[in-house]
Amino acid sequence: MATRSSIRFATREPGVNFNLMPEKIHAKFYAHWDGYPSHRGVEIAESLLGKGKIEGWEVESLTHNHTDLEFIYYIWQAPGKDTWISIFSRHSWTDTAKDWLCTFVGTPDMLIEKYKLNTNEEG
C-alpha cells in the first residue's frame, strides 16, 4: 500500500508559525510511495544537507490538492536563515485543516536524529 505525501516549500517570514500550515507556498511536489518520516522525511533532510538525492517525486500544481495524503512536509527557507522542516500527519479524513496534526518541527539534522532508522549491528 502507498503512503502518499506532499512536499511544499514556504518562505520563512516574521510571525509565521512553523506549527501551522502556511497560506503561501511557492512549490509543491507529490510522492506516491514511502511518505512516512523515516523514509521521505529523512530523504528530504539528507538532500537539504547535501548528503543524498531525492527520488520518486513529481512536480504538482500549486492549485491541485490530493485528498489521499497521509503526510505533508513543509520546507521553510529564506536567504541567510537556517532551513526548518515541519511534518503534518493526517489523523482524520474530513478534508479540513483539522485533519492534520503537526508532529515535528525542526532542522534537517534534528529530523534525521529523530527519524533515521538505526541499521547497525547494535540496533
Side-chain angles (χ1 to χ4, degrees):
M1 185 166 158
T3 305
R4 296 165 180 90
S5 61
S6 179
I7 302 90
R8 302 171 182 183
F9 289 79
T11 301
R12 288 188 59 173
E13 299 176 284
V16 176
N17 187 332
F18 296 159
N19 289 313
L20 301 174
M21 292 182 171
E23 292 181 23
K24 297 186 288 184
I25 58 172
H26 308 288
K28 187 163 78 166
F29 297 82
Y30 171 74
H32 189 76
W33 300 101
D34 299 328
Y36 43 90
S38 62
H39 179 83
R40 187 69 60 210
V42 169
E43 179 184 62
I44 292 166
E46 287 179 342
S47 177
L48 288 167
L49 295 171
K51 298 178 182 178
K53 293 187 178 187
I54 296 172
E55 300 196 19
W57 298 14
E58 61 188 69
V59 176
E60 184 173 45
S61 165
L62 289 174
T63 59
H64 182 267
N65 288 312
H66 281 84
T67 58
D68 58 353
L69 299 173
E70 294 181 57
F71 293 95
I72 299 176
Y73 297 86
Y74 286 95
I75 300 166
W76 302 87
Q77 296 179 310
K81 295 184 179 182
D82 291 337
T83 297
W84 281 63
I85 302 169
S86 301
I87 302 175
F88 290 81
S89 60
R90 185 182 289 274
H91 67 94
S92 67
W93 293 89
T94 62
D95 287 332
T96 67
K98 294 178 182 178
D99 291 348
W100 297 96
L101 178 65
C102 184
T103 56
F104 175 82
V105 173
T107 64
D109 287 325
M110 293 164 64
L111 190 149
I112 291 169
E113 173 87 16
K114 181 172 182 176
Y115 290 107
K116 188 163 187 171
L117 299 176
N118 185 348
T119 58
N120 68 25
E121 289 181 16
E122 297 173 5

